[in-house]
């Protein structure tokens, strides 16, 4: 651009001096900024530039009136920035007019791009009262008297103009910077032969902030405040456009956000409060008649009684019949749940990683406020929806095909959203090819069992003999063609300031009105919110009011017209020159998310009342397929990592307690302790016990377990000794599909058994005791002499006879 130069950074050596005094001033100004000193009030009109490499520029904030008329003065307000190496000693802002009349859109575009000839007829100037130092900017106000404007021009046309800045007001002073601009002129004072009806579509979408869906607590709340709270871009747009004829294009996730994961979980070996009271240790020596093994010698570290649990505490076995409903489960928490923590002993463990904490209730308040504003939007405004999460259908189609797109489109509008509007449109982030659009609309039909949606495409990509906004492709797809050049005026990166945007918009639409005797339709689509400039959107829409060749309307009418449009439009090849940034959605990222979803679905088979958990997490993963992540690879990776980490912490909190058991019997039940560290009950959990040596046997594996929320339960399992020795038993937990539960190291929990079956040691003990007794008895019998029996007394009388 002529008249523009770049600021060369000042370079100094240690102990040396800057090249010039101006360079020294620049360095000092920078130091003042770094040290945080305030600028004196006497210098408040000049502000230091924030960029290290500043470009000389003129920006226009307003032109009043936006459409000039005879006998009316003109006021231009703006700001100039000195991006050169030298100060401008006496800045003078000048406005010059050219004799050329910009009657077509091409004329306007060529002049505004700087390719037209420079205007030479000066009509006004503003002399600033102090020098403009390098790297600083200063506001200006330029007033042009009515008699300086071409009152002899009686038509409605566009005046070519140029703003410039010179050092001094000498006639031949060279321009330090220039800005081509345009002044719409209404010399006729009557309605032009045709009018242009402009439909404004303004998206309300979310920024690429991982904290919106993959964080909790104050961090998540702060992210939602930035996104939709007071002072946010959404808030400013809705406030500034209140009552104006716009169509809101809304991501439903803004008013129905999925629940967020809670990464703050208890350690895998944390214990609930209130452990059972310990009982006295029984004798460590079993009796021959014992039918169950007894606790080993207390001096044997870690040894426990097989009749108790396998934690080494010697505590009595708690009830082995947990509540089938989930024990301490107290209902399904939601984002608005504000109940205080339970006072039960198990309340020390943290929550299931899907439930936001109580302070996240404010997120629900922000969402409710936004929903109410949409409900109360007024009759002049209409409402369309994007699919949930604003999915990047083109990137998804390229990376995963039609099935990936179909899964993201399968979620229907909730009744609450459908009550506001049932219109859902397709808005690709980039221009699709014919094959891509066919695949996308096919996925839409399959997912929603409905006709193809209206698709928003640049009008330059739609070839149709019919003028207008509403089209229908030869395959029946309805299309709304938006004007790219006007829509780009709403970009955050637009040059020249809001006033310059307004002048170009008015000049473009005036050229359209002059070029035909038939009324024209134009659809302006603001970029997604993270690329849009809220001030530019509001200034352009408000500038349409009271302009004779413009009519404002919502986009509802063109949408209805697509149903009646003939199937004659054709899709042109994409033009990548203005394409969106690259998407981080790839086959690898989709595969990784799919793996996480499989884990989620497996967890859903064991969590009590898991519907809200699976739905909430699935919705959070859907957000990773949004258009908002284009050009935001790091933020996308952060969100994916956080979700995956929090998700994998769920199965890690379901574990078996290790222990050492002395098994001094042939067969008995052993208490195996299973810990559920989540705040929701579990069901259908499979416990498998596999001895590593064939000296111990588990005749029957336990039945699927039902565990209470945030509890430690003991499961009674029958073991059978086959021979003596030491053996480790692998204790694993899994879902019904076989997905392992427990710590993430994939190593099963070890139960260490010392096995001594009764048949192999009890009879040796009995033999050792009975043998000496037998020997002593034999010995004594051999050593004692044999004695004859002494004779008894002789009776005096013979026995009486029974014979009578």
């Amino acid at each position: 651009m002529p008249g523009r130069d770049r600021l060369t950074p000042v370079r100094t050596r240690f102990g040396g001096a800057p090249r010039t005094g101006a360079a020294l001033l620049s360095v000092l100004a920078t130091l003042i900024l770094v040290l945080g000193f305030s600028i004196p009030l006497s210098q408040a009109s000049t502000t230091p530039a924030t960029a290290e490499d500043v470009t000389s520029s003129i920006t226009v904030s307003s032109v009043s009136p936006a459409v000039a008329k005879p006998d009316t003065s003109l006021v231009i307000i703006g700001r100039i920035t000195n991006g050169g190496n030298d100060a401008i000693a006496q800045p003078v802002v000048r406005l010059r007019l050219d004799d050329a009349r910009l009657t077509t859109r091409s004329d306007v575009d060529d002049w505004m791009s700087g390719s037209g000839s420079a205007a030479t007829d000066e009509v006004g100037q503003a002399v600033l009262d102090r020098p403009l130092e390098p790297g600083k900017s200063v506001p200006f106000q330029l007033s042009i008297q009515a008699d300086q404007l071409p009152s002899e021009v009686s038509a409605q046309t566009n005046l070519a103009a140029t703003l410039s800045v010179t050092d001094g007001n000498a006639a031949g002073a060279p321009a330090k910077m220039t800005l081509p601009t345009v002044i719409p002129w209404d010399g006729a004072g009557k309605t032009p032969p045709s009018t242009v009806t402009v439909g404004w579509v303004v998206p309300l979408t979310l920024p690429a902030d991982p904290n919106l869906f993959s964080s909790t607590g104050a961090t998540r709340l702060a992210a939602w405040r930035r996104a939709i709270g007071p002072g946010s871009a959404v808030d400013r747009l809705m406030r500034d456009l209140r009552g104006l004829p716009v169509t809101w294009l809304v991501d439903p996730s803004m008013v129905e956000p999925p629940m967020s994961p809670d990464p703050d979980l208890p350690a895998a070996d944390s214990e609930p409060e209130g452990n059972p009271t310990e009982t006295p240790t029984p004798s460590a020596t079993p009796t021959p008649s014992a039918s169950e093994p007894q606790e080993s010698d207390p001096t044997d570290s870690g040894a426990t009684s097989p009749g108790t649990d396998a934690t080494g505490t010697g505590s009595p076995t708690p009830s082995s019949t947990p509540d089938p409903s989930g024990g301490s489960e107290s209902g399904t928490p939601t984002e608005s749940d504000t109940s205080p923590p339970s006072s039960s002993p198990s309340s020390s463990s943290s929550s299931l990683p899907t439930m936001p904490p109580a302070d996240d209730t404010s997120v629900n308040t922000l969402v409710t406020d936004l929903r109410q504003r949409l409900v109360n939007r007024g009759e002049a405004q209409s409402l369309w929806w994007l699919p949930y999460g604003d999915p990047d259908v083109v990137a998804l189609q390229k990376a995963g095909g039609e099935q990936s797109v179909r899964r993201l489109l399968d979620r229907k509008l909730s009744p609450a959203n459908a009550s506001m509007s049932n219109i859902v449109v397709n808005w690709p982030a980039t221009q699709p090819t014919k094959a891509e659009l066919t695949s996308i609309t096919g996925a839409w039909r399959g997912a929603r069992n409905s006709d193809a949606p209206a698709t928003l495409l640049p009008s330059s990509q739609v070839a149709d003999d019919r003028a207008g906004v509403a089209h229908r492709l030869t395959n029946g797809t309805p299309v709304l063609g938006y004007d790219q050049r006007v829509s780009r005026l709403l970009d955050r990166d637009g040059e020249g300031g809001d006033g310059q945007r307004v002048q170009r918009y008015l000049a473009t639409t005036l050229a359209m009105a002059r070029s035909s005797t038939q009324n024209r339709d134009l659809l302006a689509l603001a970029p997604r919110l993270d690329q849009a400039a809220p001030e530019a959107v509001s200034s352009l829409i408000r500038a349409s009011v009271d302009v004779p060749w413009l009519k404002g309307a919502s986009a509802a009418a063109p949408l209805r017209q697509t149903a009646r449009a003939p199937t004659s439009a054709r899709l042109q090849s994409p033009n990548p020159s203005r394409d969106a940034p690259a998407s981080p959605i790839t086959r690898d990222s989709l595969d990784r998310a799919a793996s996480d979803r499989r884990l989620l679905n497996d967890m859903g088979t064991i969590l009590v009342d898991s519907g809200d958990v699976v739905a909430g997490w699935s919705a959070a993963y859907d957000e990773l397929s949004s258009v908002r992540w284009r050009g935001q690879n790091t933020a996308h990776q952060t969100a994916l990592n956080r979700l995956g980490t929090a998700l994998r912490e769920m199965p890690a909190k379901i574990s078996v307690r290790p222990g050492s058991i002395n098994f001094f019997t042939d067969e008995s039940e052993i208490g195996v302790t299973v810990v559920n560290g989540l705040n929701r009950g579990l069901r259908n959990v499979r416990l498998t016990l596999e001895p590593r040596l064939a000296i111990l046997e588990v005749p029957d594996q336990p039945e699927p377990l039902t565990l209470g929320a945030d509890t430690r339960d003991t499961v009674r399992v029958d073991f059978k000794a086959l021979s003596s020795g030491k053996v480790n038993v692998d204790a694993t937990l899994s879902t019904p599909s076989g997905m392992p539960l427990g710590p993430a190291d994939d190593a099963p929990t070890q139960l260490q058994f010392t096995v001594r079956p009764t048949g192999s040691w009890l009879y040796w003990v009995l033999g050792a005791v009975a043998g000496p007794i037998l020997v002593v008895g034999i010995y004594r019998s051999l050593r004692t002499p044999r004695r004859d029996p002494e004779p008894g007394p002789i009776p005096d009388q013979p026995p009486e006879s029974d014979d009578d």
Side-chain angles (χ1 to χ4, degrees):
M1 185 76 72
R4 296 187 179 220
D5 38 43
R6 312 289 283 184
L7 173 64
T8 303
V10 178
R11 299 179 183 271
T12 62
R13 293 178 180 268
F14 179 76
R19 295 180 182 176
T20 65
L24 177 58
L25 291 174
S26 177
V27 172
L28 291 175
T30 303
L31 288 175
I32 290 173
L33 278 179
V34 172
L35 294 175
F37 293 117
S38 61
I39 299 174
L41 293 177
S42 61
Q43 301 178 10
S45 61
T46 58
T47 56
T50 57
E52 181 181 349
D53 193 12
V54 180
T55 302
S56 295
S57 62
I58 304 173
T59 58
V60 178
S61 56
S62 69
V63 178
S64 180
V67 179
K69 298 180 181 180
D71 303 325
T72 303
S73 60
L74 190 68
V75 178
I76 301 175
I77 298 175
R79 179 175 287 274
I80 59 175
T81 301
N82 182 6
N85 294 325
D86 301 321
I88 302 176
Q90 187 181 27
V92 179
V93 182
R94 304 172 184 268
L95 179 68
R96 294 184 171 93
L97 295 181
D98 191 85
D99 292 336
R101 303 292 178 256
L102 311 178
T103 58
T104 66
R105 292 193 67 171
S106 296
D107 293 340
V108 174
D109 292 340
D110 290 344
W111 180 262
M112 299 291 277
S113 66
S115 59
S117 60
T120 57
D121 186 11
E122 184 174 318
V123 296
Q125 63 176 233
V127 181
L128 305 187
D129 59 358
R130 62 174 51 88
L132 180 60
E133 305 295 340
K136 292 185 179 180
S137 64
V138 63
F140 72 86
Q141 179 172 314
L142 175 60
S143 299
I144 296 93
Q145 300 301 315
D147 57 4
Q148 297 297 312
L149 298 174
S151 57
E152 73 280 1
V153 178
S154 60
Q156 288 173 329
T157 188
N158 294 310
L159 306 179
T162 301
L163 281 166
S164 63
V165 176
T166 62
D167 192 348
N169 57 6
K176 297 293 186 180
M177 61 195 82
T178 60
L179 177 69
T181 188
V182 63
I183 299 175
W185 177 260
D186 185 10
K190 60 181 181 181
T191 304
S194 66
T195 59
V196 179
T197 301
V198 183
W200 299 94
V201 179
V202 181
L204 297 181
T205 57
L206 291 167
D209 188 346
N211 294 325
L212 290 169
F213 300 107
S214 60
S215 296
T216 59
T219 301
R220 181 173 186 254
L221 177 57
W224 278 94
R225 282 176 176 159
R226 291 191 299 267
I228 65 173
S232 65
V234 170
D235 174 60
R236 298 199 308 271
L237 273 174
M238 299 197 73
R239 183 180 62 246
D240 293 348
L241 302 183
R242 184 184 294 116
L244 295 179
V246 300
T247 296
W248 299 111
L249 181 56
V250 184
D251 176 0
S253 293
M254 301 183 76
V255 292
E256 289 181 3
M259 293 178 294
S260 63
D262 183 0
D264 301 323
L265 296 172
D269 60 351
S270 66
E271 295 189 25
E273 297 177 1
N275 288 331
T277 304
E278 293 187 1
T279 56
T281 303
S283 171
T285 304
T287 62
S289 61
S291 60
E292 291 187 6
Q294 304 295 314
E295 186 172 1
S296 64
D297 190 289
T299 61
D300 185 8
S301 176
T304 66
S305 167
T308 63
D309 62 26
T311 63
T313 62
S315 57
T317 302
S319 172
S320 60
T321 309
D323 184 359
S325 64
S328 63
E329 179 68 14
S330 59
T332 302
T334 64
E335 193 164 39
S336 60
D337 184 9
T338 58
S339 57
S342 171
S343 59
S344 65
S346 63
S347 64
S348 62
S349 295
S350 64
S351 62
L352 186 74
T354 54
M355 302 296 112
D359 60 1
D360 255 2
T361 303
S362 295
V363 173
N364 195 38
T365 302
L366 294 171
V367 167
T368 302
D369 290 345
L370 176 58
R371 175 184 292 278
Q372 196 59 40
R373 294 175 78 171
L374 291 173
V375 170
N376 299 332
R377 62 188 181 275
E379 296 182 357
Q381 299 182 349
S382 54
L383 174 63
W384 298 346
W385 298 105
L386 291 163
Y388 280 89
D390 188 17
D392 195 336
V393 289
V394 175
L396 286 166
Q397 196 279 333
K398 290 180 178 179
E402 186 174 322
Q403 291 301 321
S404 294
V405 181
R406 178 179 296 187
R407 184 183 56 77
L408 267 295
L409 298 177
D410 190 51
R411 187 178 175 188
K412 309 299 189 300
L413 285 175
S414 68
N417 285 344
S419 66
M420 288 189 279
S421 171
N422 60 1
I423 298 173
V424 184
V425 300
N426 176 30
W427 182 20
T430 59
Q431 299 179 26
T433 64
K434 182 178 179 180
E436 288 170 348
L437 185 58
T438 299
S439 175
I440 292 166
T441 54
W444 194 295
R445 291 188 182 98
R448 294 175 175 264
N449 193 26
S450 63
D451 295 334
T455 299
L456 294 169
L457 293 175
S459 55
S460 60
Q461 201 187 0
V462 182
D464 197 348
D465 295 335
R466 299 173 62 256
V469 172
H471 306 279
R472 186 174 286 271
L473 300 180
T474 53
N475 64 0
T477 301
V479 170
L480 287 172
Y482 60 90
D483 191 291
Q484 273 185 300
R485 286 181 288 181
V486 173
S487 298
R488 284 175 193 151
L489 297 177
L490 306 173
D491 285 356
R492 185 180 299 279
D493 298 330
E495 295 182 359
D498 291 343
Q500 179 79 337
R501 301 172 197 249
V502 169
Q503 297 306 109
R504 184 164 189 167
Y505 162 64
L506 294 177
T508 298
T509 54
L510 176 56
M512 292 177 62
R514 285 177 52 90
S515 65
S516 175
T517 58
Q518 294 184 347
N519 294 335
R520 304 285 298 276
D521 290 333
L522 182 149
L523 190 66
L525 175 60
R528 285 171 168 89
L529 197 60
D530 59 340
Q531 303 170 17
E535 295 77 11
V537 176
S538 60
S539 62
L540 259 66
I541 297 178
R542 290 184 180 279
S544 304
V545 179
D546 297 330
V547 174
W549 62 85
L550 286 177
K551 291 183 178 180
S554 72
L559 181 63
R560 290 192 296 268
Q561 294 169 9
T562 59
R564 302 189 299 270
T567 55
S568 58
R570 301 173 307 281
L571 196 66
Q572 303 279 62
S573 298
N575 179 9
S577 61
R578 279 287 197 169
D579 219 350
S583 172
I585 299 173
T586 62
R587 166 52 65 184
D588 289 342
S589 69
L590 291 180
D591 288 346
R592 182 176 168 186
S595 175
D596 287 351
R597 288 177 186 273
R598 287 192 292 270
L599 188 154
L600 171 63
N601 291 332
D602 268 330
M603 289 300 300
T605 63
I606 63 172
L607 288 170
V608 174
D609 297 329
S610 62
D612 64 323
V613 177
V614 175
W617 275 79
S618 294
Y621 271 95
D622 288 347
E623 300 294 331
L624 296 176
S625 298
S626 177
V627 173
R628 74 177 72 102
W629 304 110
R630 281 189 174 261
Q632 303 290 333
N633 288 18
T634 300
H636 181 267
Q637 189 69 22
T638 298
L640 181 59
N641 288 342
R642 285 181 182 174
L643 284 173
T645 299
L647 180 61
R648 284 184 286 275
E649 284 180 342
M650 275 201 288
K653 302 308 170 186
I654 308 167
S655 60
V656 176
R657 286 296 183 91
S660 299
I661 300 97
N662 289 333
F663 195 79
F664 296 165
T665 185
D666 289 333
E667 183 174 1
S668 180
E669 286 186 341
I670 299 295
V672 178
T673 301
V674 180
V675 178
N676 176 18
L678 303 177
N679 73 342
R680 183 168 298 206
L682 304 176
R683 59 187 178 186
N684 297 326
V685 175
R686 305 300 174 90
L687 171 62
T688 304
L689 298 161
E690 295 290 343
R692 293 194 172 187
L693 297 175
I695 63 176
L696 189 68
E697 180 183 53
V698 181
D700 296 299
Q701 295 293 340
E703 293 294 323
L705 309 181
T706 298
L707 304 173
D710 196 12
T711 58
R712 185 182 65 184
D713 292 333
T714 299
V715 182
R716 310 296 295 178
V717 183
D718 188 37
F719 284 83
K720 184 177 182 180
L722 301 181
S723 62
S724 298
K726 294 182 179 292
V727 60
N728 287 343
V729 176
D730 292 339
T732 58
L733 296 170
S734 64
T735 65
S737 67
M739 184 193 79
L741 304 171
D745 58 6
D746 295 329
T749 299
Q750 299 286 307
L751 301 179
Q752 299 176 345
F753 277 72
T754 299
V755 184
R756 295 176 185 172
T758 303
S760 64
W761 64 270
L762 181 60
Y763 295 108
W764 284 103
V765 173
L766 294 176
V769 174
I773 296 174
L774 179 62
V775 171
V776 170
I778 295 175
Y779 175 78
R780 291 180 62 185
S781 65
L782 293 177
R783 292 290 303 269
T784 303
R786 190 177 184 86
R787 297 177 180 179
D788 293 333
E790 294 181 0
I794 298 174
D796 295 335
Q797 299 292 335
E800 294 181 0
S801 174
D802 292 335
D803 298 335
D804 286 332

